[in-house]
Amino acid sequence: MSRHRYVRNMNLQEEMDDDALSDGGDDMTPEQQEQMEKALDHVRQIIGDEATSGLSDNVIRDVLWDEYFDVEKTLDWCFEEQRRKKAADERKAAREAQKLAQRKLAEAASTATSCAGSPMPKKTTPKRSDASTPVTRQNVADPQQLDMSALNLTEKTATEVVEEPPKMTFAKEVLLEEAKKSLSQSKNVSLVVIGHVDAGKSTLMGRLLYELGRLDEKTRTANERGSSKIGKSSFSWAWNLDGTLEERERGITMDIATRSLSTPKRNITVLDAPGHKDFVPNMISGASQADCALLVVDASMGEFEAGFERGGQTREHLILVRSLGVSQVIVAINKLDQVNWDRIRYDDIVSQLKPFLLQSGFQASNTNFVPIGAMLGVNLVNREDEEASLLNAWYHGPTLVDLLDTLVPPTRNLMAPLRIPISNVFKGQSAGTAVTGRVCGGVVQVGERLRVLPGDETAIVKSIEVEEQDVPWVAAGSNATLYLTSIDPVHLNVGTVLCPPDNVVPLASSFKARIIVFDIVIPITAGASIELFHHSRDVSAAVSKLLATRDRANGKILKISPRMLSKGMSADVEITIRSLSQNAPPRAIPLETFAVNKDMGRVLLRRNGETVAAGVSPTYNV
């Protein structure tokens, strides 16, 4: 029976993890092994050694290998694992305390019974000793059953404890009243940081987080030492947001990084967007979750012009965020220290940007400009340092934090049906599958059952996090993490929408949209292939019909069935989602009409890496 004892005592998951790790190590190239050691060093600098963190090098290497050396995701896993272990220890201690209390209660009850007198015990037949117990088939262990039980392949019995999903705490009417009361006093706003590549967006946010006390000295020192080691010391502040190994080695942001900060009057969720044109889809995903925008421009000679001329991301990013509903923008003119704080250079940049902002739809009252030096920390929180003396000679306006304090949270639509487009899906260590996304309407609470579209699945909200804090509910306008249960993660994807089972979001395979055509060279014709962006979802589509052109000023129809659409035109078109293959049925995406839900009714059209149009969906066809 020794073989069966070994199987019963074997931790199958650990054995599989060890096999996977050893296989991954054997399959690593020398370059990957070098990447692994670099990434492990970065992680250790943040979480400490094994004694401090409670995590061994082998475990961290395993996660790094699974995450393709993504340091940021590995750190998230480590922090979650540490929190899970702490929670498990607390639950174990609570169970022990409960058992002790129950034991004391039973002893007290037994004492009370004996004092009051007890009935005569029933006459029982003494049990036979084990040696005299007859051997039958029922009490002989079946080796096959033992193996199956050890491998967790036997059917679950009715006695096994299955964790019940949480129950809803609030009635719908009570929850809406609570949400209205909370939002009337809300200071929360989400901010997307945009701009041309190398304008200093991540450096600015890393330095600002440090100035506001959201970046500890240990992490700052580790980032400074790590960036110097690979010859990129000027990127040390950016490392607080650029967490992956590839981002740090290339020196560019590739995906959305989310952080939070607090100013005297606002709690701000920061979405740091990539500036390189290859990662515009990721930038769109971040901008679709934002209320306001912070545009960072490079004041260095020739750099501002490169970003603002045709094809530059300064121009495209402004058009994109305005098309996605962002109406407030702060323009931070960075790297003025490299031009010796030249006021003429600052005024020249402002004079070029102001007309373009008005042309793009930003009102002058919702636009502010501020000169800064992100690397030195000048004019971010104050201008008291010696480095700010040249700037103080001519600038007496607000600091960047002062302007962030003036951002106005937009009106939230609590009465609209609940809509949560998923922007990320990941595995939660202690609470099932986790999804992140922006609540685009309504209110959701822990214990609520949600429909998942596209698809025919439902899930239950097990817990909700906002800025790493557990909350019982979350309302429209919030960027939240929802931990879901009672659903297979395979049914959750980026672009999937969560909604109430009794009020689902419509699915559209073709729909009519009213669009505005941007500064394009090649006109749009009927049948033109495009890439359609809707929140975090992008799909292949076609402009199947050109229905009419309209006057941009009053909306009147100018021409029915035009032959083509060129620069600056406003038009009604029909858009059809392309199938994955010739014989496959038409695909459908969750899409709301703009009149019902503004966030869910906006679309962007791109072609050959260029944004060609943006619009809203006035009607849809299922």
Side-chain angles (χ1 to χ4, degrees), residues 259-270:
R259 296 290 186 274
S260 60
L261 58 86
S262 297
T263 64
K265 299 178 182 178
R266 292 288 178 263
N267 299 321
I268 301 175
T269 299
V270 176

Side-chain angles (χ1 to χ4, degrees), residues 69-255:
F69 309 113
D70 190 324
V71 173
E72 187 71 21
K73 290 183 179 179
T74 302
L75 286 171
D76 289 343
W77 183 92
C78 292
F79 295 145
E80 181 66 28
E81 181 69 7
Q82 289 173 331
R83 184 169 60 178
R84 185 192 66 79
K85 288 183 177 180
K86 181 180 179 181
D89 291 341
E90 290 175 350
R91 288 195 297 270
K92 183 178 179 181
R95 285 196 298 269
E96 293 297 331
Q98 185 179 13
K99 288 180 181 178
L100 180 61
Q102 289 174 347
R103 192 159 52 245
K104 289 182 177 179
L105 186 63
E107 291 174 356
S110 176
T111 303
T113 302
S114 62
C115 292
S118 58
M120 291 293 291
K122 292 184 179 180
K123 194 171 184 179
T124 59
T125 303
K127 292 184 179 180
R128 287 182 289 183
S129 64
D130 291 343
S132 62
T133 303
V135 179
T136 64
R137 290 185 60 87
Q138 283 76 15
N139 56 30
V140 173
D142 183 355
Q144 183 178 356
Q145 288 296 324
L146 284 173
D147 285 344
M148 293 180 67
S149 177
L151 294 173
N152 199 24
L153 296 177
T154 56
E155 293 184 1
K156 292 183 178 180
T157 64
T159 58
E160 290 186 50
V161 178
V162 179
E163 184 179 2
E164 291 187 3
K167 303 295 183 183
M168 290 191 293
T169 306
F170 303 95
K172 186 174 181 180
E173 295 75 12
V174 175
L175 182 60
L176 284 173
E177 288 300 320
E178 187 73 18
K180 288 178 182 178
K181 186 187 304 182
S182 176
L183 289 182
S184 66
Q185 306 168 353
S186 175
K187 303 189 298 181
N188 300 328
V189 66
S190 56
L191 178 79
V192 62
V193 185
I194 59 174
H196 193 63
V197 64
D198 289 337
K201 301 181 293 298
S202 298
T203 297
L204 166 60
M205 298 318 300
R207 183 66 192 249
L208 182 60
L209 288 167
Y210 176 74
E211 296 290 338
L212 293 175
R214 297 306 296 262
L215 175 64
D216 59 86
E217 194 65 32
K218 179 181 177 181
T219 304
R220 186 197 69 79
T221 303
N223 290 343
E224 186 175 337
R225 184 168 58 247
S227 59
S228 298
K229 191 180 295 183
I230 65 172
K232 293 185 177 293
S233 57
S234 60
F235 292 91
S236 62
W237 292 112
W239 275 30
N240 188 44
L241 292 100
D242 295 342
T244 68
L245 196 61
E246 187 175 3
E247 284 180 320
R248 292 181 171 186
E249 288 184 344
R250 293 180 60 178
I252 60 172
T253 302
M254 300 169 64
D255 205 350

Side-chain angles (χ1 to χ4, degrees), residues 46-88:
I46 302 300
I47 69 172
D49 58 16
E50 182 174 349
T52 303
S53 64
L55 299 171
S56 67
D57 285 353
N58 283 343
V59 170
I60 298 174
R61 286 193 180 96
D62 194 10
V63 179
L64 284 167
W65 181 252
D66 288 342
E67 298 292 353
Y68 302 102
F69 309 113
D70 190 324
V71 173
E72 187 71 21
K73 290 183 179 179
T74 302
L75 286 171
D76 289 343
W77 183 92
C78 292
F79 295 145
E80 181 66 28
E81 181 69 7
Q82 289 173 331
R83 184 169 60 178
R84 185 192 66 79
K85 288 183 177 180
K86 181 180 179 181

